Short mmCIF file of all heavy atoms in Angstrom, two decimals:
data_model
loop_
_atom_site.label_atom_id
_atom_site.label_comp_id
_atom_site.label_asym_id
_atom_site.label_seq_id
_atom_site.Cartn_x
_atom_site.Cartn_y
_atom_site.Cartn_z
N VAL A 938 -19.16 -1.56 14.35
CA VAL A 938 -20.17 -2.05 15.27
C VAL A 938 -20.44 -3.52 14.98
O VAL A 938 -20.81 -3.88 13.87
CB VAL A 938 -21.48 -1.24 15.12
CG1 VAL A 938 -22.54 -1.79 16.06
CG2 VAL A 938 -21.23 0.23 15.36
N PHE A 939 -20.25 -4.34 15.99
CA PHE A 939 -20.49 -5.77 15.85
C PHE A 939 -21.99 -6.03 15.71
O PHE A 939 -22.80 -5.49 16.46
CB PHE A 939 -19.95 -6.49 17.09
CG PHE A 939 -20.42 -7.89 17.27
CD1 PHE A 939 -19.84 -8.92 16.55
CD2 PHE A 939 -21.44 -8.19 18.16
CE1 PHE A 939 -20.27 -10.22 16.72
CE2 PHE A 939 -21.87 -9.48 18.33
CZ PHE A 939 -21.30 -10.51 17.62
N LEU A 940 -22.37 -6.87 14.76
CA LEU A 940 -23.77 -7.21 14.55
C LEU A 940 -24.08 -8.64 14.94
O LEU A 940 -25.07 -8.91 15.63
CB LEU A 940 -24.16 -6.98 13.09
CG LEU A 940 -24.11 -5.55 12.58
CD1 LEU A 940 -24.48 -5.51 11.10
CD2 LEU A 940 -25.04 -4.66 13.38
N ILE A 941 -23.27 -9.58 14.47
CA ILE A 941 -23.58 -10.98 14.74
C ILE A 941 -22.32 -11.83 14.58
O ILE A 941 -21.42 -11.49 13.81
CB ILE A 941 -24.68 -11.50 13.79
CG1 ILE A 941 -25.17 -12.89 14.23
CG2 ILE A 941 -24.18 -11.53 12.35
CD1 ILE A 941 -26.38 -13.38 13.49
N ARG A 942 -22.29 -12.93 15.32
CA ARG A 942 -21.30 -13.98 15.16
C ARG A 942 -22.03 -15.30 15.01
O ARG A 942 -23.02 -15.55 15.69
CB ARG A 942 -20.38 -14.06 16.37
CG ARG A 942 -19.36 -15.20 16.30
CD ARG A 942 -18.57 -15.36 17.59
NE ARG A 942 -19.40 -15.82 18.69
CZ ARG A 942 -19.66 -15.08 19.76
NH1 ARG A 942 -19.16 -13.87 19.88
NH2 ARG A 942 -20.40 -15.57 20.72
N ARG A 943 -21.53 -16.12 14.09
CA ARG A 943 -22.14 -17.43 13.88
C ARG A 943 -21.02 -18.45 13.74
O ARG A 943 -20.07 -18.23 13.01
CB ARG A 943 -22.99 -17.38 12.61
CG ARG A 943 -23.76 -18.61 12.25
CD ARG A 943 -24.66 -19.07 13.36
NE ARG A 943 -26.02 -18.63 13.26
CZ ARG A 943 -26.70 -18.17 14.30
NH1 ARG A 943 -26.13 -18.04 15.47
NH2 ARG A 943 -27.95 -17.83 14.17
N ASN A 944 -21.10 -19.58 14.45
CA ASN A 944 -20.07 -20.61 14.27
C ASN A 944 -20.51 -21.60 13.21
O ASN A 944 -21.69 -21.71 12.87
CB ASN A 944 -19.72 -21.28 15.59
CG ASN A 944 -20.78 -22.24 16.07
OD1 ASN A 944 -21.16 -23.17 15.35
ND2 ASN A 944 -21.27 -22.03 17.27
N SER A 945 -19.55 -22.34 12.71
CA SER A 945 -19.78 -23.19 11.54
C SER A 945 -20.70 -24.37 11.81
O SER A 945 -21.17 -25.02 10.88
CB SER A 945 -18.44 -23.70 11.00
OG SER A 945 -17.69 -24.35 12.03
N PHE A 946 -20.97 -24.64 13.08
CA PHE A 946 -21.83 -25.77 13.41
C PHE A 946 -23.27 -25.36 13.64
O PHE A 946 -24.13 -26.20 13.91
CB PHE A 946 -21.29 -26.50 14.64
CG PHE A 946 -19.91 -27.06 14.43
CD1 PHE A 946 -18.81 -26.48 15.01
CD2 PHE A 946 -19.72 -28.15 13.61
CE1 PHE A 946 -17.53 -26.97 14.80
CE2 PHE A 946 -18.45 -28.66 13.38
CZ PHE A 946 -17.36 -28.07 13.99
N ASP A 947 -23.53 -24.08 13.52
CA ASP A 947 -24.87 -23.59 13.79
C ASP A 947 -25.42 -22.94 12.53
O ASP A 947 -25.14 -21.78 12.25
CB ASP A 947 -24.82 -22.58 14.94
CG ASP A 947 -26.21 -22.05 15.29
OD1 ASP A 947 -27.21 -22.50 14.67
OD2 ASP A 947 -26.29 -21.18 16.17
N GLU A 948 -26.21 -23.68 11.79
CA GLU A 948 -26.74 -23.17 10.53
C GLU A 948 -28.13 -22.58 10.67
O GLU A 948 -28.78 -22.26 9.69
CB GLU A 948 -26.76 -24.28 9.48
CG GLU A 948 -25.39 -24.67 8.98
CD GLU A 948 -25.46 -25.51 7.72
OE1 GLU A 948 -25.83 -24.98 6.66
OE2 GLU A 948 -25.14 -26.72 7.80
N GLN A 949 -28.57 -22.43 11.89
CA GLN A 949 -29.88 -21.80 12.07
C GLN A 949 -29.84 -20.35 11.63
O GLN A 949 -28.90 -19.62 11.93
CB GLN A 949 -30.28 -21.85 13.55
CG GLN A 949 -30.89 -23.15 13.99
CD GLN A 949 -31.53 -23.04 15.36
OE1 GLN A 949 -31.07 -22.29 16.20
NE2 GLN A 949 -32.61 -23.77 15.57
N ASN A 950 -30.88 -19.96 10.94
CA ASN A 950 -30.98 -18.55 10.59
C ASN A 950 -31.31 -17.74 11.83
O ASN A 950 -31.91 -18.25 12.78
CB ASN A 950 -32.05 -18.35 9.53
CG ASN A 950 -31.62 -18.94 8.20
OD1 ASN A 950 -30.43 -19.05 7.90
ND2 ASN A 950 -32.59 -19.34 7.40
N GLU A 951 -30.90 -16.49 11.81
CA GLU A 951 -31.15 -15.65 12.98
C GLU A 951 -31.85 -14.37 12.56
O GLU A 951 -31.58 -13.81 11.51
CB GLU A 951 -29.83 -15.30 13.67
CG GLU A 951 -30.01 -14.41 14.89
CD GLU A 951 -29.00 -14.67 15.97
OE1 GLU A 951 -28.36 -15.73 15.94
OE2 GLU A 951 -28.84 -13.79 16.83
N ILE A 952 -32.75 -13.95 13.42
CA ILE A 952 -33.48 -12.72 13.18
C ILE A 952 -33.34 -11.84 14.41
O ILE A 952 -33.49 -12.29 15.54
CB ILE A 952 -34.98 -12.99 12.91
CG1 ILE A 952 -35.14 -13.85 11.65
CG2 ILE A 952 -35.74 -11.67 12.77
CD1 ILE A 952 -36.57 -14.28 11.39
#
Side-chain angles (χ1 to χ4, degrees):
Chain A
V938 179
F939 165 79
L940 295 178
I941 190 172
R942 177 187 67 246
R943 183 56 96 224
N944 74 57
S945 54
F946 299 106
D947 182 2
E948 289 194 70
Q949 278 192 327
N950 291 333
E951 179 148 343
I952 298 174

